[in-house]
Amino acid sequence: MTAYSDPQTADPDEKTALLHRGLGVGSIVFMVIAAVAPLGAACAVLPLVFALSGNAAAPLYFLSAVVVLCVFAVGFTLMSRRVQNAGAFYSYVQAGLGKMAGAGTASLALVSYYLLLIGLYALLGVSAVAVVEQYLGLTVDWWVPAFAFLVVVALLGYRDIEVSAKVLGVALVLEALVVLVIDIAILAQGGASGFSARPLDPSHAFDGTPGLGLMFAFFAFIGFEATAVFRSEATNPTRTIPRATYIAVALIGTMYAFTSYSIAIGIGPDVAAVSGADPSNVVQNLATRYVGTAMEDTVRILLVTSVFACVLSFHNVVARYQFNLANGKLLPGFLGEVHPKHRAPSSSSVVVTVMSVVVLVLMLLLGLDPITEVYTWFSGAATLGVIALMALTSISVIAFHRRYHADTPLWGSVVAPVLSLIGLGFVLYMIVRNFDLLVGTNAAATAILVALAASFVIGAVVTAVTRARRPDRYAELLDSGA
């Protein structure tokens, strides 16, 4: 069988060369871990894992997620070596399943990341309002700080990515240290009633509603897959991307498992009930109890910087997705231009900013609640979309290697992708089954599921129509991604 040939493997174009910034493993890991917002996840997501699962086994759910995602990363990073394209999901699916599937994947990915970005802006606005009201005594609407931060993100996203990486690095170190200090303080003082192995006991992992706990555990990892999006800016992509992916998954999983265990010990046997009663203040209350009020203040302030870092990361991810889709002829060409001075996809970044403003204004006009509707609905939809993309990628890994590289060792080309597909399929089933609980109502859940499916179908249909009416243009689609 003829080997698959990606146009960039032989002769990288000038845009890719200009975009290249020599980002190392550390810079990419910083960008990715910042995208999952460690402090934000500790304050907002970890308590929900306890509350909704109804048990203390959150550490096991996070460790399970690490196993599934590491197995997924085997095929994912193998494809990053075979298909030298920064489009990640869509380029890998296109290589294995064809252009229509690739275009559908590209459309679904772009919609999913945009939804998450908008949801994060809402969360950022609300988090900032809480700090302003508590420490400055001022009352402002959530959209005021949201748009103020949007301006800062727009400026950083327009410029050199290394500037963004440095900003994210500082924010990440500070919030990781805060989480670590709280964890150590809890364990050093023996928690509420001494150490317990219950949070690590597999026999208790199936108490209550484990599906919901597992669902939110995976939600906390959304963003790790963005390592491949920075391929064009990496020092040595074939080595940097795989290393950054595994390191990111391992660090994220270890941090969440350790922190969730500390939370369980800090609260005691009633961790699920306490978390359910007041999930938004679990970490802040533990900070006060085991460290002091100064640490609680620090947590509240750094929570804002944590979510800001997350917003900036996803802004950069969306800008680069558009950049690659433009060079793959699926979006207007101007989105695929590189700023000659900043050496960044600045035009694409501007469009992300404009789209963010438009959608946020629309949410305001519709009168949607920033947390219970905008953040919850949009982040839930993004979670579902990204896990579906992972499942499609696992299928494409198998198809690609059976078709073009049948001599590749079975572990990376068949066994690992099949195992990850089984794991991701189970998680996907649990999310769809409980999606109404995630977004609030059956009507909203149905609308979001239909919208996500439609985004995939539209991308595939447009490509099919192009193949029928413009075969010359169809031949260029997805064949020049940077």
Side-chain angles (χ1 to χ4, degrees), residues 13 67 99 135 165 185 196 205 221 228 230 238 241 243 246 281 344 357 363 393 400 466 471 481:
D13 61 24
V67 172
K99 290 186 178 182
Y135 300 108
S196 172
F221 283 83
F230 296 101
T238 56
I241 300 305
R243 289 181 180 179
Y246 285 114
N281 286 304
V357 170
M363 296 302 100
T393 300
F400 174 82
T466 301

Side-chain angles (χ1 to χ4, degrees), residues 112-175:
S112 297
Y113 284 128
Y114 258 118
L115 288 173
L116 184 54
L117 179 60
I118 299 303
L120 288 170
Y121 268 119
L123 178 62
L124 179 58
V126 172
S127 299
V129 164
V131 172
V132 170
E133 290 181 348
Q134 181 168 348
Y135 300 108
L136 299 180
L138 301 176
T139 300
V140 296
D141 290 325
W142 70 270
W143 56 266
V144 175
F147 279 108
F149 279 116
L150 189 148
V151 173
V152 178
V153 170
L155 293 174
L156 291 173
Y158 185 84
R159 294 176 55 82
D160 185 346
I161 184 115
E162 290 182 352
V163 176
S164 295
K166 291 174 181 177
V167 172
L168 294 176
V170 172
L172 175 61
V173 170
L174 290 176
E175 62 182 281

Side-chain angles (χ1 to χ4, degrees), residues 229-254:
V229 177
F230 296 101
R231 178 184 181 85
S232 298
E233 293 149 284
T235 303
N236 183 355
T238 56
R239 299 181 64 184
T240 302
I241 300 305
R243 289 181 180 179
T245 302
Y246 285 114
I247 291 174
V249 171
L251 286 177
I252 294 168
T254 300

Side-chain angles (χ1 to χ4, degrees), residues 26-355:
S27 293
I28 294 177
V29 169
F30 267 136
M31 295 289 289
V32 170
I33 296 182
V36 301
L39 183 59
C43 293
V45 180
L46 270 61
L48 288 178
V49 176
F50 287 112
L52 296 177
S53 67
N55 62 54
L60 294 179
Y61 297 141
F62 286 109
L63 292 176
S64 297
V66 170
V67 172
V68 172
L69 295 178
C70 279
V71 173
F72 165 77
V74 173
F76 182 74
T77 56
L78 181 61
M79 289 296 281
S80 74
R81 296 187 182 98
R82 299 290 194 189
V83 183
Q84 298 180 14
N85 182 297
F89 288 140
Y90 82 79
S91 57
Y92 301 164
V93 172
Q94 182 268 336
L97 302 178
K99 290 186 178 182
M100 284 190 290
T105 299
S107 179
L108 175 57
L110 194 58
V111 169
S112 297
Y113 284 128
Y114 258 118
L115 288 173
L116 184 54
L117 179 60
I118 299 303
L120 288 170
Y121 268 119
L123 178 62
L124 179 58
V126 172
S127 299
V129 164
V131 172
V132 170
E133 290 181 348
Q134 181 168 348
Y135 300 108
L136 299 180
L138 301 176
T139 300
V140 296
D141 290 325
W142 70 270
W143 56 266
V144 175
F147 279 108
F149 279 116
L150 189 148
V151 173
V152 178
V153 170
L155 293 174
L156 291 173
Y158 185 84
R159 294 176 55 82
D160 185 346
I161 184 115
E162 290 182 352
V163 176
S164 295
K166 291 174 181 177
V167 172
L168 294 176
V170 172
L172 175 61
V173 170
L174 290 176
E175 62 182 281
L177 284 175
V178 166
V179 173
L180 186 60
V181 167
I182 296 172
D183 291 344
I184 293 176
I186 292 172
L187 298 179
Q189 297 174 49
S193 55
F195 291 98
S196 172
R198 188 180 182 86
L200 302 175
D201 186 350
S203 66
H204 294 293
F206 296 95
D207 295 342
T209 52
L212 290 176
L214 189 61
M215 177 175 65
F216 275 89
F218 271 85
F219 170 63
F221 283 83
I222 298 301
F224 89 92
E225 74 286 348
T227 52
V229 177
F230 296 101
R231 178 184 181 85
S232 298
E233 293 149 284
T235 303
N236 183 355
T238 56
R239 299 181 64 184
T240 302
I241 300 305
R243 289 181 180 179
T245 302
Y246 285 114
I247 291 174
V249 171
L251 286 177
I252 294 168
T254 300
M255 182 183 304
Y256 290 160
F258 181 62
T259 299
S260 58
Y261 177 79
S262 299
I263 291 174
I265 297 302
I267 295 177
D270 297 328
V271 60
V274 172
S275 297
D278 187 17
S280 62
N281 286 304
V282 167
V283 173
Q284 291 90 326
N285 291 339
L286 288 172
T288 301
R289 179 177 177 181
Y290 290 97
V291 184
T293 54
M295 180 57 74
E296 178 188 359
D297 294 335
T298 303
V299 169
R300 293 189 183 280
I301 294 171
L302 287 182
L303 178 59
V304 176
T305 65
S306 176
V307 181
F308 167 75
C310 188
V311 169
L312 179 56
S313 290
F314 276 105
H315 176 98
N316 286 327
V317 168
V318 176
R320 278 147 186 79
Y321 248 101
Q322 291 181 160
F323 172 84
N324 289 293
L325 289 175
N327 284 291
K329 311 298 183 183
L330 286 175
L331 290 179
F334 77 93
L335 293 173
E337 298 300 324
V338 179
H339 195 287
K341 178 181 179 181
H342 301 308
R343 298 172 67 179
S346 300
S347 296
S348 180
S349 180
V350 170
V351 170
V352 176
T353 298
V354 173
M355 287 292 292

Side-chain angles (χ1 to χ4, degrees), residues 43 121 191 326 356 373 422 474 478:
C43 293
Y121 268 119
S356 299
E373 294 175 321
I422 292 172
Y474 174 79
L478 297 178

